[in-house]
Amino acid sequence: MHLLSLHLLVMARLGGPRIEESRLASWRALLNAHARVIQRVERDLQAEGLPPLSWYDVLWPLYRAPGRRLRISELADQVVLSRTGMVRLLDRIEAAGLVRREPVPEDRRGTYAVVTGDGVEMLRKMWPVYARGIDALFLAPVGDDVAVVRDALERVAKRDGSSED
Amino acid sequence: MHLLSLHLLVMARLGGPRIEESRLASWRALLNAHARVIQRVERDLQAEGLPPLSWYDVLWPLYRAPGRRLRISELADQVVLSRTGMVRLLDRIEAAGLVRREPVPEDRRGTYAVVTGDGVEMLRKMWPVYARGIDALFLAPVGDDVAVVRDALERVAKRDGSSED
DNA sequence: GAAGATTGACTTCTCAATCTTT
DNA sequence: AAAGATTGAGAAGTCAATCTTC
Protein backbone atom coordinates (compact mmCIF):
# COMPACT_ATOMS: atom_id res chain seq x y z
CA MET A 1 0.00 0.00 0.00
CA HIS A 2 0.92 3.50 0.46
CA LEU A 3 3.30 4.54 2.61
CA LEU A 4 1.16 5.61 2.82
CA SER A 5 1.09 6.76 3.89
CA LEU A 6 -0.50 4.59 5.77
CA HIS A 7 -2.64 4.42 8.75
CA LEU A 8 -6.18 4.65 9.74
CA LEU A 9 -6.87 5.09 13.28
CA VAL A 10 -8.41 5.90 16.38
CA MET A 11 -7.29 8.21 19.08
CA ALA A 12 -7.55 9.26 22.65
CA ARG A 13 -7.73 11.76 25.38
CA LEU A 14 -6.06 9.98 28.29
CA GLY A 15 -6.18 13.03 30.45
CA GLY A 16 -4.11 15.17 28.15
CA PRO A 17 -5.47 17.99 26.00
CA ARG A 18 -9.18 17.47 25.39
CA ILE A 19 -10.58 17.47 21.92
CA GLU A 20 -14.32 17.23 21.62
CA GLU A 21 -15.36 13.84 20.35
CA SER A 22 -17.23 15.05 17.29
CA ARG A 23 -14.31 17.20 16.18
CA LEU A 24 -11.89 14.36 16.66
CA ALA A 25 -14.22 12.28 14.50
CA SER A 26 -13.57 14.61 11.58
CA TRP A 27 -9.84 13.92 11.75
CA ARG A 28 -10.46 10.20 12.03
CA ALA A 29 -12.74 10.45 9.01
CA LEU A 30 -10.01 12.10 6.99
CA LEU A 31 -7.55 9.34 7.83
CA ASN A 32 -10.04 6.64 6.97
CA ALA A 33 -11.18 8.30 3.76
CA HIS A 34 -7.63 8.79 2.57
CA ALA A 35 -6.58 5.25 3.38
CA ARG A 36 -9.59 3.70 1.76
CA VAL A 37 -9.39 5.56 -1.54
CA ILE A 38 -5.63 5.21 -1.94
CA GLN A 39 -5.66 1.55 -1.05
CA ARG A 40 -8.39 0.87 -3.54
CA VAL A 41 -6.78 2.80 -6.39
CA GLU A 42 -3.46 1.06 -5.81
CA ARG A 43 -5.20 -2.27 -5.98
CA ASP A 44 -6.97 -1.33 -9.20
CA LEU A 45 -3.73 -0.20 -10.82
CA GLN A 46 -1.98 -3.39 -9.82
CA ALA A 47 -4.89 -5.45 -11.12
CA GLU A 48 -4.41 -3.89 -14.54
CA GLY A 49 -0.66 -4.44 -14.51
CA LEU A 50 0.08 -0.74 -14.13
CA PRO A 51 2.71 0.94 -11.89
CA PRO A 52 1.88 2.38 -8.46
CA LEU A 53 0.55 5.89 -7.85
CA SER A 54 4.02 7.13 -6.94
CA TRP A 55 4.99 6.81 -10.59
CA TYR A 56 2.00 8.90 -11.58
CA ASP A 57 3.04 11.45 -9.01
CA VAL A 58 6.37 11.79 -10.77
CA LEU A 59 5.27 11.58 -14.40
CA TRP A 60 2.46 14.08 -14.16
CA PRO A 61 4.41 17.08 -12.82
CA LEU A 62 7.08 16.38 -15.42
CA TYR A 63 4.49 16.31 -18.17
CA ARG A 64 3.09 19.65 -17.08
CA ALA A 65 6.44 21.37 -16.66
CA PRO A 66 7.98 23.50 -19.43
CA GLY A 67 10.19 21.29 -21.57
CA ARG A 68 8.58 18.24 -19.92
CA ARG A 69 11.37 18.36 -17.38
CA LEU A 70 12.14 19.25 -13.78
CA ARG A 71 15.24 19.06 -11.64
CA ILE A 72 15.35 16.22 -9.20
CA SER A 73 15.17 18.47 -6.16
CA GLU A 74 12.17 20.34 -7.53
CA LEU A 75 10.44 17.05 -8.08
CA ALA A 76 11.19 15.84 -4.57
CA ASP A 77 9.63 18.99 -3.17
CA GLN A 78 6.39 18.53 -5.08
CA VAL A 79 5.98 14.91 -4.18
CA VAL A 80 6.23 14.06 -0.49
CA LEU A 81 9.52 12.24 -0.70
CA SER A 82 13.06 12.89 0.44
CA ARG A 83 15.62 13.82 -2.18
CA THR A 84 17.23 10.44 -1.70
CA GLY A 85 13.93 8.67 -2.12
CA MET A 86 13.31 10.55 -5.35
CA VAL A 87 16.69 9.53 -6.73
CA ARG A 88 15.82 5.89 -6.14
CA LEU A 89 12.30 6.24 -7.50
CA LEU A 90 13.71 7.84 -10.66
CA ASP A 91 16.18 5.00 -10.99
CA ARG A 92 13.30 2.58 -11.35
CA ILE A 93 11.16 4.75 -13.60
CA GLU A 94 14.16 5.42 -15.80
CA ALA A 95 14.95 1.71 -15.96
CA ALA A 96 11.39 1.24 -17.25
CA GLY A 97 12.10 3.80 -19.96
CA LEU A 98 9.44 6.29 -18.86
CA VAL A 99 11.90 9.01 -17.91
CA ARG A 100 15.44 9.90 -18.87
CA ARG A 101 18.06 12.00 -17.12
CA GLU A 102 19.75 14.97 -18.76
CA PRO A 103 22.38 17.37 -17.46
CA VAL A 104 21.40 20.95 -16.66
CA PRO A 105 23.44 23.21 -18.98
CA GLU A 106 23.54 26.22 -16.63
CA ASP A 107 24.46 24.24 -13.54
CA ARG A 108 26.63 21.23 -13.90
CA ARG A 109 25.69 19.98 -10.44
CA GLY A 110 22.08 19.51 -11.46
CA THR A 111 20.17 16.82 -13.32
CA TYR A 112 16.88 17.06 -15.17
CA ALA A 113 14.33 14.30 -15.19
CA VAL A 114 12.53 14.32 -18.54
CA VAL A 115 9.39 12.34 -19.44
CA THR A 116 9.80 10.18 -22.51
CA GLY A 117 7.12 9.35 -25.07
CA ASP A 118 6.59 6.05 -23.29
CA GLY A 119 6.16 8.00 -20.08
CA VAL A 120 3.37 10.09 -21.57
CA GLU A 121 1.81 6.93 -22.91
CA MET A 122 1.87 5.46 -19.42
CA LEU A 123 0.14 8.54 -18.03
CA ARG A 124 -2.64 7.97 -20.56
CA LYS A 125 -3.06 4.42 -19.34
CA MET A 126 -2.97 5.24 -15.65
CA TRP A 127 -5.27 8.22 -15.62
CA PRO A 128 -8.54 6.42 -16.40
CA VAL A 129 -7.98 4.04 -13.50
CA TYR A 130 -7.12 6.85 -11.14
CA ALA A 131 -9.98 9.03 -12.34
CA ARG A 132 -12.48 6.24 -11.89
CA GLY A 133 -11.32 5.82 -8.32
CA ILE A 134 -11.50 9.51 -7.50
CA ASP A 135 -14.93 9.79 -9.01
CA ALA A 136 -16.59 6.68 -7.59
CA LEU A 137 -14.84 6.45 -4.23
CA PHE A 138 -14.44 10.11 -3.33
CA LEU A 139 -16.47 12.59 -5.36
CA ALA A 140 -19.65 10.53 -5.46
CA PRO A 141 -20.00 10.13 -1.69
CA VAL A 142 -18.97 13.74 -1.03
CA GLY A 143 -21.68 14.92 -3.39
CA ASP A 144 -22.87 18.49 -3.03
CA ASP A 145 -20.50 19.27 -0.20
CA VAL A 146 -17.54 19.21 -2.56
CA ALA A 147 -17.01 22.97 -2.54
CA VAL A 148 -17.06 23.27 1.24
CA VAL A 149 -14.73 20.29 1.61
CA ARG A 150 -12.34 21.68 -0.98
CA ASP A 151 -12.13 25.10 0.66
CA ALA A 152 -11.71 23.67 4.14
CA LEU A 153 -8.99 21.22 3.15
CA GLU A 154 -7.18 23.82 1.10
CA ARG A 155 -6.94 25.96 4.19
CA VAL A 156 -5.37 22.99 5.97
CA ALA A 157 -2.99 22.25 3.15
CA LYS A 158 -1.85 25.84 2.80
CA ARG A 159 -1.43 26.38 6.51
CA ASP A 160 2.01 27.74 7.13
CA GLY A 161 2.33 26.11 10.52
CA SER A 162 5.30 28.28 11.39
CA SER A 163 3.23 30.17 13.92
CA GLU A 164 2.77 27.05 16.01
CA ASP A 165 5.26 25.30 18.22
CA MET B 1 7.02 8.75 7.26
CA HIS B 2 3.77 7.14 7.28
CA LEU B 3 2.97 4.61 5.64
CA LEU B 4 1.83 5.79 3.76
CA SER B 5 1.68 6.80 2.97
CA LEU B 6 2.36 9.23 1.52
CA HIS B 7 1.98 11.28 -1.46
CA LEU B 8 0.76 14.65 -2.38
CA LEU B 9 0.05 15.28 -5.85
CA VAL B 10 -1.38 16.59 -8.89
CA MET B 11 -3.31 14.97 -11.59
CA ALA B 12 -4.45 15.06 -15.14
CA ARG B 13 -7.02 14.59 -17.79
CA LEU B 14 -4.88 13.65 -20.77
CA GLY B 15 -7.91 12.91 -22.87
CA GLY B 16 -9.26 10.21 -20.59
CA PRO B 17 -12.29 10.59 -18.35
CA ARG B 18 -12.93 14.24 -17.57
CA ILE B 19 -13.21 15.45 -14.04
CA GLU B 20 -14.13 19.05 -13.60
CA GLU B 21 -11.15 21.05 -12.38
CA SER B 22 -12.74 22.37 -9.22
CA ARG B 23 -13.87 18.91 -8.17
CA LEU B 24 -10.45 17.48 -8.84
CA ALA B 25 -9.08 20.24 -6.65
CA SER B 26 -10.97 18.83 -3.69
CA TRP B 27 -9.22 15.49 -4.04
CA ARG B 28 -5.87 17.20 -4.41
CA ALA B 29 -6.65 19.21 -1.28
CA LEU B 30 -7.33 16.04 0.68
CA LEU B 31 -3.99 14.55 -0.36
CA ASN B 32 -2.14 17.72 0.53
CA ALA B 33 -3.92 18.20 3.84
CA HIS B 34 -3.29 14.63 4.90
CA ALA B 35 0.37 14.71 3.93
CA ARG B 36 1.01 18.00 5.63
CA VAL B 37 -0.55 17.16 8.98
CA ILE B 38 0.91 13.66 9.21
CA GLN B 39 4.36 14.80 8.20
CA ARG B 40 4.31 17.55 10.75
CA VAL B 41 3.08 15.38 13.61
CA GLU B 42 5.70 12.73 12.84
CA ARG B 43 8.35 15.39 12.94
CA ASP B 44 7.09 16.71 16.27
CA LEU B 45 7.05 13.24 17.80
CA GLN B 46 10.56 12.56 16.63
CA ALA B 47 11.73 15.91 17.95
CA GLU B 48 10.55 14.90 21.41
CA GLY B 49 12.19 11.50 21.22
CA LEU B 50 8.85 9.70 20.93
CA PRO B 51 7.94 6.76 18.68
CA PRO B 52 6.15 7.18 15.33
CA LEU B 53 2.39 7.41 14.89
CA SER B 54 2.18 3.75 13.92
CA TRP B 55 2.94 2.85 17.53
CA TYR B 56 0.12 5.05 18.69
CA ASP B 57 -2.15 3.36 16.18
CA VAL B 58 -1.40 0.04 17.85
CA LEU B 59 -1.34 1.09 21.49
CA TRP B 60 -4.57 3.04 21.46
CA PRO B 61 -6.93 0.31 20.17
CA LEU B 62 -5.33 -2.09 22.65
CA TYR B 63 -5.92 0.35 25.48
CA ARG B 64 -9.57 0.71 24.59
CA ALA B 65 -10.24 -3.00 24.11
CA PRO B 66 -11.66 -5.16 26.91
CA GLY B 67 -8.80 -6.66 28.88
CA ARG B 68 -6.43 -4.17 27.17
CA ARG B 69 -5.85 -6.83 24.53
CA LEU B 70 -6.66 -7.74 20.94
CA ARG B 71 -5.68 -10.59 18.69
CA ILE B 72 -3.05 -9.78 16.14
CA SER B 73 -5.41 -10.22 13.20
CA GLU B 74 -8.01 -7.95 14.75
CA LEU B 75 -5.35 -5.34 15.21
CA ALA B 76 -4.16 -5.62 11.64
CA ASP B 77 -7.70 -5.02 10.41
CA GLN B 78 -8.11 -1.83 12.42
CA VAL B 79 -4.81 -0.36 11.38
CA VAL B 80 -4.09 -0.27 7.66
CA LEU B 81 -1.37 -2.88 7.68
CA SER B 82 -1.02 -6.42 6.44
CA ARG B 83 -1.02 -9.19 9.02
CA THR B 84 2.65 -9.72 8.34
CA GLY B 85 3.40 -6.06 8.81
CA MET B 86 1.58 -6.09 12.13
CA VAL B 87 3.63 -9.03 13.34
CA ARG B 88 6.82 -7.12 12.64
CA LEU B 89 5.50 -3.90 14.13
CA LEU B 90 4.54 -5.77 17.30
CA ASP B 91 8.00 -7.31 17.44
CA ARG B 92 9.45 -3.83 17.77
CA ILE B 93 6.87 -2.50 20.20
CA GLU B 94 7.23 -5.61 22.32
CA ALA B 95 11.02 -5.26 22.30
CA ALA B 96 10.48 -1.76 23.70
CA GLY B 97 8.37 -3.26 26.50
CA LEU B 98 5.16 -1.43 25.59
CA VAL B 99 3.25 -4.57 24.66
CA ARG B 100 3.50 -8.24 25.52
CA ARG B 101 2.17 -11.31 23.75
CA GLU B 102 -0.09 -13.84 25.45
CA PRO B 103 -1.67 -17.02 24.18
CA VAL B 104 -5.42 -17.12 23.60
CA PRO B 105 -6.86 -19.79 25.93
CA GLU B 106 -9.82 -20.70 23.74
CA ASP B 107 -7.86 -20.95 20.52
CA ARG B 108 -4.34 -22.13 20.66
CA ARG B 109 -3.58 -20.80 17.19
CA GLY B 110 -4.12 -17.24 18.33
CA THR B 111 -2.01 -14.65 20.11
CA TYR B 112 -3.11 -11.65 22.08
CA ALA B 113 -1.22 -8.39 22.07
CA VAL B 114 -1.61 -6.74 25.50
CA VAL B 115 -0.59 -3.18 26.41
CA THR B 116 1.72 -3.00 29.38
CA GLY B 117 1.87 -0.26 31.98
CA ASP B 118 4.76 1.26 30.10
CA GLY B 119 2.62 1.17 26.99
CA VAL B 120 -0.12 3.18 28.67
CA GLU B 121 2.48 5.58 29.93
CA MET B 122 3.74 6.03 26.38
CA LEU B 123 0.23 6.79 25.18
CA ARG B 124 0.06 9.54 27.78
CA LYS B 125 3.25 11.05 26.45
CA MET B 126 2.32 10.79 22.79
CA TRP B 127 -1.22 12.08 22.95
CA PRO B 128 -0.45 15.72 23.79
CA VAL B 129 1.85 15.97 20.78
CA TYR B 130 -0.68 14.35 18.50
CA ALA B 131 -3.57 16.39 19.88
CA ARG B 132 -1.68 19.62 19.44
CA GLY B 133 -1.07 18.74 15.79
CA ILE B 134 -4.69 17.81 15.10
CA ASP B 135 -5.92 20.96 16.75
CA ALA B 136 -3.52 23.51 15.31
CA LEU B 137 -2.92 22.02 11.87
CA PHE B 138 -6.31 20.57 11.08
CA LEU B 139 -9.20 21.68 13.28
CA ALA B 140 -8.21 25.33 13.43
CA PRO B 141 -8.09 25.91 9.66
CA VAL B 142 -11.23 23.85 9.08
CA GLY B 143 -13.09 25.99 11.58
CA ASP B 144 -16.87 26.04 11.40
CA ASP B 145 -17.02 23.63 8.49
CA VAL B 146 -15.97 20.78 10.72
CA ALA B 147 -19.39 19.11 10.79
CA VAL B 148 -19.84 19.19 7.03
CA VAL B 149 -16.33 17.90 6.48
CA ARG B 150 -16.80 15.11 8.99
CA ASP B 151 -20.07 13.92 7.47
CA ALA B 152 -18.73 14.06 3.93
CA LEU B 153 -15.53 12.19 4.73
CA GLU B 154 -17.38 9.60 6.78
CA ARG B 155 -19.48 8.84 3.73
CA VAL B 156 -16.26 8.30 1.79
CA ALA B 157 -14.72 6.15 4.50
CA LYS B 158 -17.77 3.98 4.88
CA ARG B 159 -18.32 3.52 1.17
CA ASP B 160 -18.61 -0.14 0.41
CA GLY B 161 -17.08 0.12 -3.04
CA SER B 162 -18.24 -3.36 -3.97
CA SER B 163 -20.65 -1.91 -6.49
CA GLU B 164 -17.79 -0.60 -8.59
CA ASP B 165 -15.60 -2.54 -10.96
C1' DG C 1 -8.02 -28.09 4.14
C1' DA C 2 -8.44 -23.36 6.24
C1' DA C 3 -7.08 -19.92 9.73
C1' DG C 4 -3.60 -17.54 12.79
C1' DA C 5 0.98 -16.40 13.36
C1' DT C 6 5.58 -16.41 11.91
C1' DT C 7 9.82 -16.36 8.90
C1' DG C 8 12.58 -15.51 4.52
C1' DA C 9 13.35 -13.00 0.41
C1' DC C 10 12.58 -8.81 -1.77
C1' DT C 11 11.09 -3.86 -2.30
C1' DT C 12 11.12 0.82 -0.98
C1' DC C 13 12.21 4.69 1.92
C1' DT C 14 15.45 7.30 5.10
C1' DC C 15 19.75 9.02 7.25
C1' DA C 16 24.61 9.74 6.98
C1' DA C 17 28.55 9.96 4.24
C1' DT C 18 30.67 11.04 -0.40
C1' DC C 19 31.65 13.36 -4.79
C1' DT C 20 31.26 17.20 -7.88
C1' DT C 21 30.30 21.81 -8.88
C1' DT C 22 29.36 26.49 -7.29
C1' DA D 1 31.66 25.94 2.80
C1' DA D 2 27.04 24.99 0.66
C1' DA D 3 24.03 22.82 -2.85
C1' DG D 4 22.76 18.89 -6.00
C1' DA D 5 22.99 14.22 -6.79
C1' DT D 6 24.40 9.75 -5.58
C1' DT D 7 25.65 5.52 -2.80
C1' DG D 8 25.80 2.33 1.41
C1' DA D 9 23.67 0.76 5.42
C1' DG D 10 19.66 0.19 7.98
C1' DA D 11 14.52 0.45 8.99
C1' DA D 12 9.95 -1.04 7.75
C1' DG D 13 6.59 -2.94 4.64
C1' DT D 14 4.74 -6.81 1.36
C1' DC D 15 4.10 -11.47 -0.74
C1' DA D 16 4.93 -16.39 -0.64
C1' DA D 17 5.99 -20.28 1.98
C1' DT D 18 5.83 -22.73 6.56
C1' DC D 19 4.15 -24.41 11.07
C1' DT D 20 0.63 -25.23 14.35
C1' DT D 21 -4.00 -25.67 15.59
C1' DC D 22 -8.85 -25.91 14.33
Side-chain angles (χ1 to χ4, degrees), chain B residues 13-25:
Chain B
R13 291 122 312 206
L14 278 173
R18 305 255 160 200
I19 295 184
E20 195 199 331
E21 183 56 35
S22 78
R23 311 187 79 213
L24 196 50

Side-chain angles (χ1 to χ4, degrees), chain A residues 8-86:
Chain A
L8 274 181
L9 275 292
V10 236
M11 52 246 359
R13 293 118 314 205
L14 277 172
R18 304 255 161 199
I19 294 185
E20 195 199 330
E21 183 56 33
S22 78
R23 311 186 78 214
L24 196 50
S26 74
W27 171 244
R28 201 181 307 143
L30 184 141
L31 291 178
N32 286 325
H34 177 271
R36 163 161 313 245
V37 177
I38 294 290
Q39 204 170 37
R40 179 57 184 273
V41 171
E42 291 283 15
R43 222 170 12 101
D44 290 348
L45 285 169
Q46 192 168 13
E48 305 209 19
L50 295 170
L53 271 178
S54 58
W55 289 35
Y56 191 92
D57 294 346
V58 166
L59 293 174
W60 174 242
L62 292 179
Y63 177 73
R64 301 218 69 183
R68 304 262 187 269
R69 70 193 57 213
L70 285 172
R71 295 179 58 147
I72 295 182
S73 307
E74 293 177 296
L75 210 41
D77 289 342
Q78 294 201 31
V79 179
V80 176
L81 201 57
S82 66
R83 193 167 302 161
T84 306
M86 181 54 70

Side-chain angles (χ1 to χ4, degrees), chain B residues 8-100:
Chain B
L8 274 181
L9 272 290
V10 237
M11 49 250 355
R13 291 122 312 206
L14 278 173
R18 305 255 160 200
I19 295 184
E20 195 199 331
E21 183 56 35
S22 78
R23 311 187 79 213
L24 196 50
S26 74
W27 171 244
R28 202 182 306 143
L30 184 141
L31 291 177
N32 286 326
H34 177 272
R36 164 162 310 248
V37 177
I38 293 290
Q39 204 170 38
R40 180 57 184 276
V41 171
E42 291 282 15
R43 229 182 351 113
D44 291 347
L45 286 169
Q46 192 168 14
E48 304 208 21
L50 296 170
L53 272 178
S54 58
W55 290 36
Y56 191 92
D57 294 346
V58 166
L59 294 173
W60 175 241
L62 291 179
Y63 177 74
R64 301 219 69 186
R68 304 261 187 270
R69 70 192 58 214
L70 285 173
R71 296 179 58 148
I72 297 183
S73 308
E74 293 178 296
L75 210 42
D77 289 342
Q78 294 201 31
V79 180
V80 176
L81 200 57
S82 65
R83 192 167 302 162
T84 306
M86 181 53 70
V87 167
R88 308 227 124 112
L89 181 53
L90 282 174
D91 287 344
R92 297 188 300 264
I93 304 182
E94 187 175 31
L98 307 183
V99 148
R100 67 171 183 282

